Amino acid sequence: MSKLEEARLTINEVDEAMAQLFEKRMQAVEEVVKYKKEHHLPVLDEKREAFVIEHNTNYIQEQKYKASYHEFMKQLMGVSRAYQKSVLYHDVIGFQGVEGAFSHIAANRIFPDLKKKRYATFEEVFKAVVNQEIAYGIVPFENSYTGEVGEVLDLLMQYPVYVQGDYDLRISQNLLGIKGSCLEDIKQVYSKDQAIHQSKQFLQGRGYELIPYPNTALAAEYVARMQDKSKAAIAAKENAELYGLDILAENINTSDQNTTRFLILGKALCTKGNRSSLAIIVPHKAGALVAAMNLIAKYGFNMQSIISRSIKERPWEYYFYIEIDGNIHEAQEKKLLAELKEVCEQVKILGLYETKGRD
């Protein structure tokens, strides 16, 4: 047996012992997380982590190994935190906005029995998924009347999260005012710009001052707080009951097929499903995009959609978001992905999932 083989044999024996000790350590971590859950304690205890790292590093006798072991302990504590979060937050769903927003309504429809946690921005929802503060994030992706949500597309490219499902929510916009008000009283209408646009036909010729607001539920909350008969909000019916408002006009959206598609975001990439989402960046030359599309067709896939978005750090160049019927991950043992990478600068699978039922 060579010196290399002897060293590798020793490593294998140590790794086996370490695996057994790791399991024992994680079993103790489970007890820790149970205690934290019962006593509403945060996952991160900075003082405790710093103590454990320094204390354990002092067990190392060889000075030359101390720095490496110190880094190893930091990573081990990170693994422990991630596991604790997965246990603590496995039943929490994140959404952008406030209670009563369409994202909140969608989250309740998709996961009616799970706890909901709100975030101020889409990016905060993405970060919460990455950091395992929530099990899933619910974000709007596109509206049948106003198109895709570009910011969400960009965030899918930026963060290591994956689409694990989608859900179509039929959108009903309504004009809400304070108790006792009527249409003739209204002078200012508050809502998200997309909701105002979706209700354009109803609003035309009424002389209302149209005032954009961060989202529809916040607009309803503002109108309720102001208690001014001249103010109204465009929002979902649920907000009337939530904020004590009257519905002055129902279903005012121009299109009665107005639907918003929401994405269910998770930390892991699923490998099963009947819908694939991916993003590609192709060389900035003639025929590059066609070459990629021809490969998708070659393997018998039907493209549901393709959307172009500008690459912020490369003016006048674009990445392409593509949705495909079928499972691209299974395409002849991944040969399609390999061939795509030969003609593209970048290929990123954004999700594999079963399409959800329609609302």
Side-chain angles (χ1 to χ4, degrees):
M1 183 181 293
S2 68
K3 293 291 186 181
L4 177 61
E5 290 172 329
E6 288 180 3
R8 285 176 173 172
L9 183 61
T10 300
I11 289 173
N12 290 343
E13 291 172 353
V14 172
D15 285 347
E16 181 180 355
M18 286 178 64
Q20 294 172 0
L21 290 172
F22 178 79
E23 284 188 343
K24 187 175 181 180
R25 190 182 200 280
M26 293 305 289
Q27 288 164 1
V29 167
E30 289 189 11
E31 294 302 315
V32 169
V33 76
K34 285 179 185 177
Y35 183 89
K36 288 182 177 180
K37 188 172 185 177
E38 290 172 2
H39 294 82
H40 307 288
L41 297 175
V43 168
L44 177 60
D45 183 339
E46 292 184 355
K47 289 184 178 179
R48 168 64 181 170
E49 281 204 10
F51 170 78
V52 170
I53 292 169
E54 294 302 323
H55 180 76
N56 289 5
T57 301
N58 289 331
Y59 288 133
I60 301 299
Q61 301 299 310
E62 289 277 3
Q63 185 65 34
K64 61 183 178 182
Y65 300 143
K66 281 185 177 288
S68 297
Y69 189 77
H70 188 275
E71 186 62 29
F72 170 76
M73 284 304 305
K74 285 174 62 178
Q75 293 180 14
L76 183 60
M77 297 303 284
V79 168
S80 174
R81 282 199 310 275
Y83 182 77
Q84 290 181 57
K85 287 179 180 179
S86 71
V87 173
L88 283 174
Y89 305 125
H90 74 281
D91 60 348
V92 179
I93 307 302
F95 68 96
Q96 183 274 333
V98 297
E99 188 176 355
F102 285 111
S103 291
H104 180 240
I105 294 170
N108 280 330
R109 299 278 181 88
I110 302 167
F111 298 103
D113 300 322
L114 300 187
K115 293 180 287 188
K116 311 300 184 303
K117 184 175 182 179
R118 68 186 194 183
Y119 294 88
T121 66
F122 293 136
E123 186 166 20
E124 288 180 14
V125 175
F126 276 75
K127 288 180 177 179
V129 173
V130 173
N131 295 330
Q132 296 183 288
E133 296 172 9
I134 54 178
Y136 300 102
I138 307 299
V139 293
F141 181 67
E142 62 180 334
N143 178 265
S144 60
Y145 194 75
T146 56
E148 73 274 359
V149 182
E151 182 184 353
V152 169
L153 264 176
D154 292 340
L155 291 168
L156 281 171
M157 284 290 286
Q158 182 179 348
Y159 284 94
V161 304
Y162 298 96
V163 181
Q164 296 194 354
D166 65 353
Y167 183 80
D168 284 1
L169 178 70
R170 185 68 62 83
I171 302 298
S172 170
Q173 303 289 10
N174 306 270
L175 192 68
L176 311 181
I178 67 170
K179 297 289 185 182
S181 62
C182 61
L183 287 176
E184 291 72 23
D185 296 323
I186 304 305
K187 292 182 173 60
Q188 293 93 28
V189 173
Y190 299 80
S191 195
K192 191 168 179 61
D193 49 2
Q194 288 97 332
I196 292 172
H197 182 67
Q198 291 165 12
S199 310
K200 185 178 179 181
Q201 186 172 309
F202 171 84
L203 297 170
Q204 277 181 342
R206 295 180 179 270
Y208 298 152
E209 181 184 1
L210 305 177
I211 304 171
Y213 222 71
N215 66 53
T216 54
L218 279 176
E221 187 274 336
Y222 171 76
V223 168
R225 181 158 39 91
M226 290 296 100
Q227 285 297 300
D228 184 340
K229 286 187 176 183
S230 69
K231 300 182 186 299
I234 298 173
K237 291 179 182 178
E238 285 86 344
N239 289 275
E241 181 177 353
L242 185 62
Y243 296 110
L245 299 172
D246 281 343
I247 300 175
L248 307 183
E250 292 187 48
N251 303 321
I252 65 172
N253 32 279
T254 302
S255 171
D256 60 3
Q257 297 300 314
N258 187 12
T259 302
T260 294
R261 180 180 171 215
F262 288 84
L263 299 182
I264 304 167
L265 304 178
K267 176 76 170 171
L269 172 65
C270 300
T271 58
K272 302 295 182 182
N274 60 9
R275 177 68 60 85
S276 302
S277 298
L278 67 153
I280 62 173
I281 298 175
V282 298
H284 193 50
K285 63 182 182 180
L289 179 58
V290 172
M293 294 172 68
N294 284 340
L295 278 175
I296 293 170
K298 169 187 168 183
Y299 280 84
F301 287 105
N302 174 49
M303 287 200 310
Q304 278 284 342
S305 68
I306 180 168
I307 301 170
S308 65
R309 287 286 293 173
S310 61
I311 302 173
K312 299 297 187 289
E313 63 275 12
R314 290 160 59 175
W316 319 126
E317 294 189 42
Y318 303 85
Y319 72 84
F320 298 90
Y321 173 86
I322 301 172
E323 287 194 353
I324 296 170
D325 283 335
N327 191 323
I328 195 172
H329 195 264
E330 296 175 347
Q332 293 192 16
E333 298 179 359
K334 306 180 186 177
K335 287 182 180 179
L336 171 55
L337 289 175
E339 291 189 40
L340 276 175
K341 290 174 182 177
E342 290 179 3
V343 300
C344 299
E345 290 184 8
Q346 182 179 341
V347 178
K348 181 181 181 184
I349 296 181
L350 301 177
L352 294 167
Y353 53 95
E354 292 289 331
T355 54
K356 293 287 184 180
R358 297 302 183 245
D359 183 43

